[in-house]
Amino acid sequence: MGNSAIVVPKAYVNKKPTGTTVDATPLEIEPRCLIQKIATTSTPSLTGYLITARGFANNARFETSTGIATQGAEAWLQSVLTRDK
């Protein structure tokens, strides 16, 4: 995993709202997130952030030296937040 990746703490990932019951299996592997600042060269100029989240199934396995997933399901989600400059 690169230096820019954010690992979401397990205590936060499996936290459930007070007074609710969740019937899903708790996650064993934390999601990994990356936030990149972006800017357009078009008119009007926009600035913002590209947010990438990567989640894994509990059966995921990783290459030790690279962090590349070698087994199990994974899901990617990207979102762009922008504003007028």
Side-chain angles (χ1 to χ4, degrees), residues 68-85:
I68 294 173
T70 58
Q71 173 185 317
E74 63 181 283
W76 291 74
L77 174 68
Q78 286 192 314
S79 181
V80 176
L81 301 176
T82 60
R83 64 182 174 97
D84 292 340
K85 194 168 190 179

Side-chain angles (χ1 to χ4, degrees), residues 8-80:
V8 180
K10 279 189 180 183
Y12 183 81
V13 172
N14 290 316
K15 189 175 184 178
K16 56 185 173 183
T18 305
T20 64
T21 56
V22 178
D23 62 355
T25 302
L27 295 175
E28 295 175 12
I29 303 169
E30 305 90 343
R32 294 171 187 170
C33 305
L34 183 70
I35 301 171
Q36 299 167 282
K37 189 172 184 177
I38 59 174
T40 65
T41 56
S42 62
T43 303
S45 178
L46 297 173
T47 59
Y49 298 92
L50 172 63
I51 303 163
T52 304
R54 183 178 172 206
F56 305 93
N58 285 340
N59 69 340
R61 300 291 176 262
F62 305 91
E63 174 65 39
T64 306
S65 62
T66 63
I68 294 173
T70 58
Q71 173 185 317
E74 63 181 283
W76 291 74
L77 174 68
Q78 286 192 314
S79 181
V80 176

